[in-house]
Amino acid sequence: MSERGSKRNFGPLDDLRYARIGSARLSPCGELAVCDLTRHDLESERRTTSLWRIDLPSGDTRQLTREAGRDMSPCWSPDGAQIAFLSDRSGPKQVFLLSADGGEARQLTDLPQGVEGPPVWSPDGGSIAFTAGPEVEPRDPTAPYRVTRFVYRFDGIGYIDDAAQNIFIQPIDGGEAQQLTNDAHLDRALRWSPDGRELLYLASFDPDQPDLFSAKLRAVNLQGEVEELLGLDWGFIKNAGWLPDGNGIMVVASRGDQPMATKDDLWILHRESGTAVNRSADLTTGVEVQWFPVFSAADILTADAAALVNVVERGSRGIYEVAMTGRPQWRQLLGGKRTTALHDADGENMLFSSGDLENPGDLHLAALDGSNERRVTRFNDDLLAELAFPKVEDLSYQTDDGTPIQGWLLRPNEGAPPYPTILYIHGGPHGWYGYNYGSDFQMLAGAGFAVLFVNPRGSTGYGDAFSTALSGHWGALDHKDLLDGVDFAVQAGYADPDRLGICGLSYGGYLTCYTIGRTNRFKAAVAENPITDLVSRYGTADMGPWGSLSELGGKPHEIPDVYRRGSPVTYAHNCRTPTLLIQCEEDYRCPAGQAEQFYGHLKANGCTVEMLRIPAQSHVASITGPARVQKAQNEALLEWMQRHV
């Protein structure tokens, strides 16, 4: 094991030693925060999630629940006296209540089917809303089953009929939970109206439509009467929430008449008129949809109020404010070479996590204008103190047609350039790399490889023209951007042209398979859960029909040449690169048949190929799955590259 001073290089198990923060919330008094924290026990290979309370003035942390199962999604009561959370300590997940000072938790719900969606307190503190599946006996998975939905199964969820989510409310003082919706959708993202009379929500997975990543915007009152505010024909709605006065609604969406990967904007929907105004039209890279914008009543810009949002730009995710009234305007509050994620805000401060290439993230607190930032948790400091991390080189180059591309290279702590180098490709195709933590990057660099990662065309964070450029050009366009990056790293003296590897997950696996069918310059390839045949993917993947129409421009019979030209199996007979395929067997995003086809083609044509099968796991199990699955992926990836590169 190599060391730098008293520190050691990142090893295959170190990713599992990190503690990871899930959700976090500020208390109503603003002096406390609560978060859920996930840890792995490497000996037992168990993963547990517990609740922690943070005293914000002092930074002291206190564990509130035991590490025996999964306690998650904490939410303060309006008076700050209690914390509602989900736990599986008694079987299927239920809502529990815990005193803000700790102690024994009280089980609030007792639904046979369990609770799925996080608890949300009513403004008066008298009820909690949540989502749960239908109150029916679970389907026998061995019995015949008739499918009628357009999309009938979804990665990480399974069969959607079994996972439909309804809205319930549960009185705090006991009694039966009241079901408000029953519409065969997955209802989610619940927001109480300021007056407590309605719940705003998103209704996803329409049984008659292929739209997977959009939703209808609806409101339901306490009598179960539903009003549809925006439908699927309006656009790709990702999230929504009430304005404080209850008369308007914030919506994160892109319009439906725009190409796939068009940026999401922050809109204000006027409920009575049904008109929506775009408040971030001039924000080039749009609003990050993973985190809901937190509304602030403070006069930060020159408007009456502003929303805080996450924005991805050139490999970083910062925090911006967008004016809600007056002339459209916005500005960055927090940036830098890091990845931030908003969790909560009150009238004075915002709570967010901040991570980078070395740390998945700790909680930080800052004033609403971005000033007085300070870190308030240090869950990984002991581990970080042990590790010697590689040096990061920022890269910038142009493709043959003059398109600027941003990339990065991790230089191993030992050896001299040119290094054996691994090209690591992101998924999506509209994902992004940059100043965010990547466990495989650190593991490979710790083993002596340089790691090259870039944002080719299609990536998020560079504007619509860049992110939508792949429409109809999967593989043909972006694989050249990647190879230009390899050439740049070789010419700069970082990468050894005779010791190159290539790998990626999902669309990164697709591009890995595509690239090794077009060039034999790589000594090894690892493709995890790849797409390899666009025609069969159209009919078998959960997002096949919808995603293919959006990304490729038509159906297989309409544009057969586009499907053939973009499919890695078309070029598989050319492949001479030793290839390892890693495939989760319950992956519905990139079904197992995709890897199986490529494996069969390579075997039949004499190429060295092996396949690691991961039973009973979905698409990103190597990142979020059980410890034994993550360990198996880490060990297989590293061993294959060490053997062949």
Side-chain angles (χ1 to χ4, degrees):
M1 178 171 58
S2 299
E3 298 189 2
R4 180 192 290 171
S6 61
K7 297 187 176 185
R8 60 179 178 82
N9 287 339
F10 195 100
L13 297 181
D14 281 323
D15 177 58
L16 294 170
R17 294 188 170 98
Y18 278 99
R20 284 177 165 82
I21 296 168
S23 60
R25 295 290 182 269
L26 289 168
S27 68
C29 71
E31 297 291 306
L32 300 170
V34 64
C35 70
D36 57 45
L37 190 74
T38 298
R39 298 183 187 272
H40 286 93
D41 185 312
L42 294 181
E43 291 187 6
S44 66
E45 295 187 337
R46 291 184 66 248
R47 177 173 55 192
T48 59
T49 305
S50 56
L51 302 187
W52 289 71
R53 192 182 74 179
I54 304 108
D55 183 89
L56 296 174
S58 67
D60 292 339
T61 58
R62 175 187 169 193
Q63 187 170 349
L64 293 177
T65 64
R66 63 187 184 277
E67 292 182 337
R70 296 184 300 163
D71 296 337
M72 65 191 75
S73 305
C75 183
W76 295 91
S77 61
D79 63 4
Q82 299 184 86
I83 299 168
F85 64 99
L86 294 183
S87 178
D88 63 0
R89 62 182 63 189
S90 62
K93 285 185 295 185
Q94 303 288 347
V95 178
F96 285 75
L97 297 179
L98 178 69
S99 168
D101 295 323
E104 287 297 319
R106 172 172 72 91
Q107 184 172 333
L108 179 65
T109 63
D110 189 22
L111 275 66
Q113 72 273 33
V115 172
E116 187 59 36
V120 186
W121 289 86
S122 63
D124 64 4
S127 301
I128 287 178
F130 55 87
T131 63
E135 295 184 87
V136 296
E137 285 294 318
R139 178 180 61 87
D140 179 358
T142 65
Y145 174 63
R146 179 168 293 188
V147 170
T148 59
R149 284 181 174 270
F150 198 116
V151 177
Y152 58 91
R153 60 186 185 181
F154 189 80
D155 187 73
I157 293 177
Y159 284 82
I160 296 175
D161 280 340
D162 300 337
Q165 292 292 298
N166 305 308
I167 299 175
F168 292 76
I169 55 173
Q170 173 71 56
I172 296 301
D173 56 5
E176 294 286 328
Q178 177 188 356
Q179 183 175 338
L180 298 183
T181 64
N182 185 18
D183 55 14
H185 288 66
L186 270 73
D187 297 336
R188 58 184 177 87
L190 310 185
R191 317 283 180 185
W192 283 95
S193 62
D195 61 12
R197 296 179 179 178
E198 293 179 285
L199 283 155
L200 189 70
Y201 68 99
L202 302 183
S204 305
F205 295 94
D206 187 305
D208 300 318
Q209 298 294 329
D211 305 71
L212 297 181
F213 300 107
S214 185
K216 302 168 184 175
L217 179 62
R218 291 175 170 175
V220 60
N221 63 24
L222 301 187
Q223 290 72 48
E225 298 168 337
V226 175
E227 178 185 356
E228 186 157 307
L229 306 177
L230 292 175
L232 293 177
D233 57 342
W234 187 82
F236 297 119
I237 302 171
K238 312 295 174 54
N239 225 324
W242 301 94
L243 296 182
D245 61 9
N247 295 322
I249 296 169
M250 291 185 294
V251 179
V252 175
S254 60
R255 291 306 302 260
D257 55 358
Q258 298 300 307
M260 181 72 169
T262 298
K263 71 184 180 83
D264 291 290
D265 281 307
L266 185 61
W267 302 74
I268 297 297
L269 172 66
H270 299 281
R271 186 174 184 180
E272 291 186 3
S273 67
T275 59
V277 178
N278 189 345
R279 301 299 305 178
S280 60
D282 293 332
L283 185 51
T284 304
T285 59
V287 174
E288 179 77 353
V289 301
Q290 279 87 339
W291 303 101
F292 181 72
V294 182
F295 189 83
S296 167
D299 182 8
I300 301 176
L301 283 164
T302 51
D304 295 332
L308 306 179
V309 297
N310 278 118
V311 173
V312 175
E313 187 173 16
R314 297 193 56 78
S316 298
R317 184 163 63 198
I319 298 176
Y320 286 58
E321 60 178 356
V322 179
M324 294 288 93
T325 59
R327 66 180 180 85
Q329 51 183 326
W330 51 266
R331 68 175 177 180
Q332 186 184 68
L333 301 176
L334 293 168
K337 295 182 177 182
R338 59 175 172 170
T339 296
T340 65
L342 276 165
H343 287 285
D344 204 357
D346 57 20
E348 296 182 2
N349 295 305
M350 55 178 147
L351 182 69
F352 60 97
S353 60
S354 178
D356 53 33
L357 281 160
E358 300 174 0
N359 186 354
D362 268 296
L363 290 177
H364 290 231
L365 194 72
L368 294 181
D369 61 0
S371 63
N372 300 321
E373 179 184 347
R374 57 190 176 89
R375 185 177 169 190
V376 295
T377 64
R378 299 183 177 275
F379 291 118
N380 293 310
D381 274 10
D382 289 345
L383 176 60
L384 292 168
E386 295 179 17
L387 300 173
F389 291 98
K391 182 180 179 182
V392 183
E393 300 287 349
D394 289 38
L395 308 180
S396 180
Y397 61 93
Q398 288 191 345
T399 63
D400 289 342
D401 62 7
T403 302
I405 303 291
Q406 184 182 22
W408 299 263
L409 184 132
L410 299 186
R411 296 176 60 175
N413 293 326
E414 284 75 40
Y419 305 105
T421 300
I422 310 300
L423 171 64
Y424 211 118
I425 310 170
H426 71 61
H430 308 297
W432 58 278
Y433 279 152
Y435 305 103
N436 50 0
Y437 173 75
S439 61
D440 286 350
F441 295 178
Q442 297 295 345
M443 178 186 70
L444 291 167
F449 295 97
V451 182
L452 173 65
F453 50 106
V454 303
N455 285 335
R457 274 171 284 191
S459 303
T460 295
Y462 303 88
D464 282 350
F466 194 91
S467 62
T468 63
L470 293 186
S471 182
H473 301 288
W474 272 28
L477 185 66
D478 41 356
H479 102 277
K480 293 179 180 178
D481 292 352
L482 294 169
L483 292 182
D484 285 346
V486 173
D487 291 340
F488 182 87
V490 169
Q491 293 165 8
Y494 295 129
D496 185 340
D498 297 320
R499 294 184 294 169
L500 297 174
I502 184 172
C503 63
L505 164 68
S506 188
Y507 189 85
Y510 159 83
L511 270 183
T512 296
C513 294
Y514 184 96
T515 301
I516 60 177
R518 307 302 299 270
T519 177
N520 293 317
R521 69 188 300 185
F522 295 96
K523 303 301 181 185
V526 177
E528 185 174 349
N529 296 337
I531 298 165
T532 65
D533 180 4
L534 295 178
V535 174
S536 61
R537 179 247 189 188
Y538 176 86
T540 59
D542 58 5
M543 63 178 296
W546 175 75
S548 298
L549 292 176
S550 301
E551 295 279 10
L552 302 178
K555 300 174 182 178
H557 71 276
E558 296 170 339
I559 49 171
D561 288 345
V562 172
Y563 280 76
R564 181 192 57 80
R565 188 171 61 242
S567 294
V569 293
T570 301
Y571 316 100
H573 63 282
N574 297 323
C575 183
R576 299 294 179 267
T577 304
T579 301
L580 173 67
L581 296 160
I582 300 177
Q583 183 62 51
C584 295
E585 293 185 344
E586 291 189 5
D587 186 343
Y588 299 141
R589 184 64 38 79
C590 300
Q594 296 291 307
E596 292 163 355
Q597 289 182 76
F598 205 69
Y599 178 86
H601 276 269
L602 266 57
K603 275 289 187 185
N605 287 282
C607 182
T608 299
V609 61
E610 296 179 14
M611 180 161 45
L612 174 66
R613 307 280 293 191
I614 302 179
Q617 297 297 323
S618 58
H619 188 53
V620 292
S622 65
I623 300 173
T624 62
R628 64 176 179 172
V629 171
Q630 296 188 48
K631 288 166 66 175
Q633 186 266 357
N634 291 348
E635 292 166 358
L637 170 62
L638 183 58
E639 187 277 334
W640 194 260
M641 292 301 179
Q642 288 176 326
R643 189 198 315 180
H644 294 286
V645 176

